[in-house]
Amino acid sequence: GAGVSQSPSNKVTEKGKDVELRCDPISGHTALYWYRQSLGQGLEFLIYFQGNSAPDKSGLPSDRFSAERTGGSVSTLTIQRTQQEDSAVYLCASSYAGGTKRLYGYTFGSGTRLTVV
Amino acid sequence: QKEVEQDPGPLSVPEGAIVSLNCTYSNSAFQYFMWYRQYSRKGPELLMYTYSSGNKEDGRFTAQVDKSSKYISLFIRDSQPSDSATYLCASGGSQGNLIFGKGTKLSVKP
């Protein structure tokens, strides 16, 4: 596609439920990133996939968070047993050959606005 | 100390003013410096991309990086109401991910 596509755009869930957020990156972009944006907190790095390498999970805030990337393309971020503090905008970005010889600029999706009630 | 620090503002200027946005960073290994613009309820979009020190100009926008002082700046000349947005600075090395500042909310009044 022409841009990074994220779904759903909005998600309201009850505390304790699991949610799955989807990201479809730009075709040909080998790097994929998940960030979380909370009011007043800026963009918080969560996880990064580069090609076939093991993902960098260093930003995941707890073991309730996990992500996978299938076939080097679509990625799913899963949050288990959601808590109210998980409410935020979850942004996905992709880039060309990130984390190798050069750091390229990211193209972001519009995000998924998650509200845990 | 966070790796990238940015004054969140908000910053309000009249139309036509010169806007100066600034960040500092702490990691000497950072070589890539970017500015993103984010409109309300949208994802950030890449505005300026700089490698190492120096200036880069694109239309009304100028990005400056001073690695000796670890200081990043974005200047907007002849600011327009359409420039009203949140501006995020970001830095990183050749390995890994970008580290973002918290963003500065800019409002340009007609």
Side-chain angles (χ1 to χ4, degrees), chain A residues 3-94:
Chain A
V4 176
S5 178
Q6 289 189 249
S7 61
S9 55
N10 285 282
K11 177 72 176 179
V12 180
T13 190
E14 291 181 353
K15 178 181 172 182
K17 299 281 190 183
D18 298 352
V19 295
E20 283 190 352
L21 312 180
R22 178 189 167 101
C23 173
D24 200 341
I26 290 175
S27 178
H29 279 190
T30 57
L32 187 147
Y33 310 82
W34 283 98
Y35 284 78
R36 178 168 70 174
Q37 188 172 33
S38 305
L39 195 61
Q41 297 301 314
L43 266 69
E44 176 190 3
F45 166 72
L46 297 176
I47 188 168
Y48 152 51
F49 296 89
Q50 165 53 27
N52 295 321
S53 302
D56 177 353
K57 303 179 182 180
S58 61
L60 294 178
S62 77
D63 58 8
R64 296 186 296 105
F65 288 73
S66 63
E68 62 176 21
R69 187 179 186 190
T70 54
S73 180
V74 172
S75 177
T76 302
L77 177 69
T78 301
I79 308 173
Q80 295 178 313
R81 305 181 302 282
T82 51
Q83 304 294 312
Q84 287 186 326
E85 60 263 28
D86 299 335
S87 296
V89 176
Y90 288 81
L91 289 161
C92 175
S94 68

Side-chain angles (χ1 to χ4, degrees), chain B residues 1 16 18 24 26 29 40 50 54 56 58 68-70 74-75 98-99 102-103 110:
Chain B
Q1 181 191 12
I18 296 174
T24 58
S26 58
S40 181
T50 310
K56 184 171 183 178
D58 184 0
S68 63
S69 59
K70 298 188 178 68
L74 178 71
F75 298 95
L98 281 173
I99 307 297
K102 287 189 175 183

